[in-house]
Amino acid sequence: TLAPTAPGSKIDFVSYRIPPATVLGPAAPHGPGTIEHVHVATGAVRVTVGEETVDLSAGDGCSCRADAPHGVENPDPDVEALIYLIVERG
């Protein structure tokens, strides 16, 4: 977590360092209406939400509903990825 969450806040701001060739998830669905905003700071990742997948490189970002199983993969065998994630609970 990058910043403390105020009581009652519906926003979390976190960073993840994802080692080479590592899969995070699948994570369980969040509550209805939850959105995750992903920004790739370094490296490359593959984001999967439900049956949809997108590949992102450094500087890319996406916003997706997170009320389905989801995960992030660093497919690069040599380079760590750094992502920033804002979780906006519905």
Side-chain angles (χ1 to χ4, degrees):
T1 299
L2 294 174
T5 303
S9 175
K10 294 184 175 191
I11 302 286
D12 291 318
F13 185 40
V14 296
S15 68
Y16 290 102
R17 291 192 177 277
I18 307 170
T22 298
V23 176
L24 302 179
H30 294 291
T34 299
I35 299 171
E36 290 189 355
H37 308 276
V38 179
H39 173 77
V40 182
T42 61
V45 296
R46 179 170 294 129
V47 177
T48 301
V49 178
E51 299 297 319
E52 295 185 51
T53 299
V54 64
D55 291 322
L56 303 172
S57 298
D60 291 341
C62 69
S63 295
C64 50
R65 304 283 305 236
D67 51 5
H70 56 286
V72 178
E73 173 186 359
N74 177 357
D76 193 300
D78 301 311
V79 178
E80 176 181 81
L82 170 62
I83 64 171
Y84 295 107
L85 181 68
I86 297 172
V87 180
E88 181 180 358
R89 291 183 299 281

